[in-house]
Every structure is written in structure tokens, then in C-alpha cells.
Amino acid sequence: MTSPELPDGLYDDLVKEFGAVKSVTRQVLSLLLDTGAKCLRVEDAAILVPRSNDSLGFLQSTNPKLTQLDLPPIPIGASIAGFVFVSAQTMSFDQAASAAEFFDEIDKKAGYSTKEYLAAPIVSGDATVGVLTFVNRVEGAGHFTKSDIDLASRLAAVCGTLMDHIARSRQLVDVTLDHLKATFESARVAAGLAAASPSGQHRNIKSDIVEALEPLEARELELIRNLIHSLNGNDSDLVL
Amino acid sequence: MSAIIDREEIVASLGRGTGRGVKIGLLDTGVDEDHEDLKGKIAASYELVESGGQYSCRETKGTDLIGHGTACAAIINGIAPEAEIHSIKVIGANSKGSSAGLVAGMHWCVESGMNVINASLGTLERRSRESISDAVDEAILNGVVVVAAANNGGFTAYPANLSSVLSVENEAMPDPLKIRYRLGTPIEIEANGIYIEAPCPGGGHKFYTGTSFACPHASAIVARLLSVYPDLQPFEVRSLMWHLGRE
């Protein structure tokens, strides 16, 4: 009996197929930024997303410079966008550059001069996944009003749904590949066991885990959950 | 109590109250004590110290690298100028803080005789619900009023969504002393919290919007009531807030 093998290049094929979903979603995000910029009468709109544990970077912008230039990471702990990201609160400024938290490196590198600034958190599920920003009102538009802030928050909610879509399509690639790997692995193990044992019986890993956890008390299970949680580095859970 | 179950009288009391004799524990990002608006107005500042997974509070110089706590302290001081504000920094410079730290801060507030706890923060982690709920129970049973900001994204958050907590949503109010009470909802109070001018660390002011800034409005209103009626229990305070905020 020969054991089946996972075809080469399957992962790349999957990424390519699901990449189409991502590409369409990015186009919709781009449309959303253009529309938002027009409605809010600003020069530029952009989406910032985490680039590391402590910094944000440009995912998309109506200003191509901001995504093409090699701009420095925006520190989450020392920038307005970072504050909005952490606090999940929409903020607006008339003279952002004079705010204590303003991170001026982007202005310097991109030859920009930020004045009016409106930033809204992009929330997906229970987590903030990015920040939607609107920069510099067009001539004569004045400062941001309460209805501008509301609109920005609503647009950020739509961005959240779209970004959730992108994240899910990425997860789908991994889940599909894992599933296929497990299927092939299982078939291989079955083939090996069948060769070694005439009955061909083998145990399922999942049922082994369930069996192993069965005698544990609820308290012990909670301990395991907490341990996994802390291993995941989620000690910081307070939001402002 | 019976003498004050009269809305007009409660409104009048609110007008008379200054917060005198009321201690407010402000669980937040710290407070910039050197800001010109807050000089000499913060009774004391504390920070969390972690050792072996256990937190304790120690007195420290009041600083705030984020600005959130400074704004909240100034809002309280503006409405209840004679209330004693005790700042407990549970969120650090990197904007990180844990539920365990929040619980430790609340416990410290109870042990230190605070009358009101202002928590313009919370967690979305359901696993933290029990420990925070226990801390809130400890506070309420000791006569401490817990006021917490609802999550800005509308998600269930703790402590705000716990039933014994006075939970606050933000709205534009014509008067900082005006609240709206939504009976029968988890987030029952709407207070002023849109475009609030408040100080920021290092000097100057800016405008803040969010439930975080509505929360200190509600806490300061509670402080004003407690300064007129110091013996009120948390459930009685809730009742007065309902009288004040019913449409």
C-alpha cells in the first residue's frame, strides 16, 4: 500500500486563489477611503495597521506617497494614531502638529504638513485592528464637526468589516492547508498502521486529547486556559 | 433619605455640593500633577508595583505620559472642586495594563477609604469578569460607589457591564451637571462626553471625546451628592442619579 503525498505547490495555489478575495477587498477599502476623503472634505485619508507589537504603518492611503515611501514605524505609545488604536476612541485636532503626542517623523519624511487630523479606531470583532485617519481639511472647510466625527466612526466600522474579511480569507488559507495536511497525514498513518497491523485500527489524536482531559476538574481546565492565554502574551487587556 | 426623595431638592443639593469630604480613586494612566490646571489639586498619586504576579500600590510623583488620566482628573476637579482626587496609575506609558492591576487598584481604593472609584477603562476579556466582579462587590459592600465608562465600540466590557456599577455612555449635554438615566439598560447613564476641553500633560489643553470623559462627569456628580449627603449607600446614590437623570 503506498502512502499518499501532499502535492507540491498546493500552499502557493491556495494563497493565489484566496489572494483574489484579498485583492477585491483592498479595492473596496480604496473606494471607501476616496469616498470618505470627499465626504469629509480632506486632502488625504489612510488606514494604519499594526506592523509590530508597538508600532503602526500605512496599509492604504489616498496619497500613494505614504504607502510607497519607506516611512518610519509610527510608535503606538507615542503618537495620536497609537493612542486612538489603544483607547479605541475617535479623536480630532485642529492643529495636530502641536499636540504633545504628535509623531512628526511622517511629516518630515513625506514632506507633509499635518494640520486638521481626525482618527477613528477600526474595530473588528472584539479587537481594534487599525486606525482610519483623515488629514487636512480642504480650503474653507473649517474644523471637524460632531457629524464629521460620527461619519468617520461609521466609515471605520465598515473598514473593520472589510479587514475582518481579509483576515478571514488569510485564515481560510491556513485552515484549508492544515485540514489537507491532517487528511493526508491521517491517510499516511492509516496506511502505515494497516501495513503493520492486519486490523488497520489507529486512534484519532483528537479523541486522545479529549480522553486525557476528561478526568480534570473545571478548576484545572481553567488553569490550562489561563496558562495558554498568558503564553499567548495577552497579559495587557485593559482598554481606555 | 425620605426627606430628599424630591427631584427639586436633589437638583438643589447637586447645586450646593462641592465634593468636600469625598475621596475619589481615579484608576487611570496617572495624572500630570505639574499641569497648571492641576497644581495642588491632586491629593496623592500612586502606581502599581508587581512582584511575583501580585500587585500593590505605592505612592509616587504624579505623571501621565498618555494624557487620559490628566483629562479625567481635571473634569472631576472642574465639577467637584473640593473632592479629594487620588490617582492610581493602572495603565503605564506603553498604554498597557492588566485586569489583575485594575483589581488591585480597586482593592486599594476600598482599603484606603475612597468613597468613589472612577474607572474610565475596562477589559473585554470575559475571563476577567469574575475577578473584577468580586472587586466591585467588595467596593459596594464597603459603601464605595463604582463608576465606569462603557466601551466606546459598544462591546460588553468590565467593570462597566456589571449591574452594580454606575456605567456611563457619552453624549453632548448642555450642562456638565446634566445626565440622562436609561432605566433597565446595562449602560444606564449618559453624561457629557463630546468635545470636552481638558488639559493635556506638559501644558495646554485639547478636546476629548469618548465614554472615558463622560465617566468623570458622572463621578463628580456623585461626589457633589455625597458631599451633601455623606451617608448615602451606593444603591441610594443610584436612586438619586435616576431622579436626576429621568426624563
Side-chain angles (χ1 to χ4, degrees):
Chain A
M1 191 172 178
T2 55
S3 59
E5 293 294 329
L6 200 63
D8 286 341
L10 179 65
Y11 183 76
D12 292 340
D13 289 344
L14 282 170
V15 169
K16 202 171 140 193
E17 290 303 321
F18 284 111
V21 177
K22 186 176 164 185
S23 167
V24 169
T25 313
R26 292 284 287 266
Q27 284 171 30
V28 179
L29 276 176
S30 179
L31 183 69
L32 191 87
L33 286 180
D34 286 339
T35 311
K38 274 180 201 147
C39 292
L40 288 166
R41 299 176 70 196
V42 293
E43 290 173 3
D44 287 314
I47 293 171
L48 302 172
V49 292
R51 290 296 185 217
S52 67
N53 276 343
D54 53 10
S55 70
L56 298 171
F58 287 91
L59 174 75
Q60 236 164 301
S61 171
T62 53
N63 181 349
K65 245 186 186 179
L66 297 176
T67 44
Q68 286 162 9
L69 281 175
D70 184 22
L71 295 172
I74 301 166
I76 287 177
S79 63
I80 295 172
F83 180 80
V84 169
F85 182 76
V86 171
S87 66
Q89 282 173 172
T90 303
M91 292 183 84
S92 81
F93 292 83
D94 290 343
Q95 288 297 335
S98 60
E101 302 89 342
F102 185 71
F103 180 69
D104 60 1
E105 291 300 314
I106 304 296
D107 273 15
K108 283 182 193 164
K109 279 258 182 179
Y112 222 80
S113 175
T114 300
K115 291 184 278 294
E116 295 86 4
Y117 189 82
L118 172 53
I122 300 172
V123 177
S124 169
D126 282 354
T128 307
V129 295
V131 180
L132 176 63
T133 63
F134 296 96
V135 181
N136 290 350
R137 298 276 271 184
V138 295
E139 190 80 26
H143 63 73
F144 289 112
T145 63
K146 164 83 169 61
S147 59
D148 292 331
I149 294 172
D150 287 346
L151 177 62
S153 301
R154 279 199 290 271
L155 288 172
V158 180
C159 284
T161 308
L162 290 168
M163 287 172 68
D164 188 42
H165 200 51
I166 292 176
R168 278 175 202 275
S169 70
R170 200 175 297 141
Q171 281 169 2
L172 207 52
V173 172
D174 293 338
V175 168
T176 306
L177 192 72
D178 283 351
H179 191 70
L180 283 169
K181 271 183 186 164
T183 305
F184 276 77
E185 184 60 25
S186 171
R188 216 175 8 241
V189 170
L193 284 173
S197 142
S199 70
Q201 286 177 350
H202 70 282
R203 300 184 68 161
N204 180 309
I205 293 174
K206 191 178 166 191
S207 65
D208 282 354
I209 294 172
V210 170
E211 198 174 293
L213 294 178
E214 212 167 26
L216 295 181
E217 300 285 330
R219 223 158 47 96
E220 291 167 316
L221 288 171
E222 179 65 21
L223 195 68
I224 291 171
R225 266 196 293 272
N226 287 343
L227 188 62
I228 292 169
H229 194 87
S230 60
L231 286 174
N232 285 338
N234 291 329
D235 287 350
S236 172
D237 61 337
L238 289 185
V239 288
L240 294 167
Chain B
M1 269 297 285
S2 58
I4 59 165
I5 301 295
D6 173 337
R7 190 166 187 274
E8 294 309 311
E9 174 54 23
I10 296 165
V11 172
S13 307
L14 187 64
R16 290 200 304 275
T18 60
R20 178 185 284 258
V22 179
K23 293 179 178 177
I24 300 182
L26 177 67
L27 300 172
D28 216 292
T29 60
V31 175
D32 177 9
E33 292 178 350
D34 290 335
H35 192 285
E36 61 269 22
D37 287 9
L38 289 168
K39 265 190 185 147
K41 293 178 177 171
I42 304 300
S45 289
Y46 302 85
E47 64 184 359
L48 290 176
V49 184
E50 193 255 335
S51 172
Q54 300 293 312
Y55 288 95
S56 57
C57 286
R58 73 167 170 216
E59 192 157 0
T60 183
K61 161 91 179 135
T63 58
D64 177 12
L65 291 173
I66 297 173
H68 193 269
T70 301
C72 290
I75 291 168
I76 292 172
N77 181 254
I79 297 170
E82 292 195 88
E84 262 186 39
I85 300 172
H86 297 252
S87 158
I88 305 100
K89 188 187 281 190
V90 294
I91 289 191
N94 55 2
S95 300
K96 288 183 176 173
S98 68
S99 295
L102 171 64
V103 166
M106 292 178 75
H107 182 66
W108 180 90
C109 285
V110 175
E111 288 210 315
S112 306
M114 298 296 119
N115 307 104
V116 181
I117 292 175
N118 183 98
S120 289
L121 44 79
T123 177
L124 305 178
E125 294 284 346
R126 187 159 172 87
R127 73 191 167 94
S128 300
R129 185 186 191 281
E130 196 176 339
S131 59
I132 294 176
S133 176
D134 286 349
V136 168
D137 283 351
E138 184 197 19
I140 303 290
L141 291 171
N142 281 279
V144 184
V145 180
V146 182
V147 187
N151 179 263
N152 284 292
F155 300 113
T156 298
Y158 309 104
N161 277 65
L162 298 170
S163 56
S164 47
V165 169
L166 283 174
S167 312
V168 191
E169 182 75 83
N170 64 318
E171 192 43 86
M173 293 292 179
D175 172 351
L177 290 179
K178 165 110 177 115
I179 57 165
R180 192 173 296 129
Y181 196 102
R182 307 183 299 201
L183 202 60
T185 58
I187 309 300
E188 61 270 64
I189 292 173
E190 284 178 0
N192 203 24
I194 291 175
Y195 260 124
I196 306 300
E197 187 175 7
C200 49
H205 297 81
K206 62 186 182 189
F207 288 92
Y208 296 86
T209 291
T211 56
S212 290
F213 312 107
C215 185
H217 277 84
S219 292
I221 290 171
V222 169
R224 285 179 81 133
L225 290 172
L226 285 174
S227 64
V228 179
Y229 306 108
D231 296 327
L232 291 180
Q233 287 301 302
F235 74 94
E236 294 170 313
V237 170
R238 178 183 291 278
S239 173
L240 295 202
M241 294 296 269
W242 173 70
H243 278 287
L244 282 174
R246 67 193 158 97
E247 299 280 60

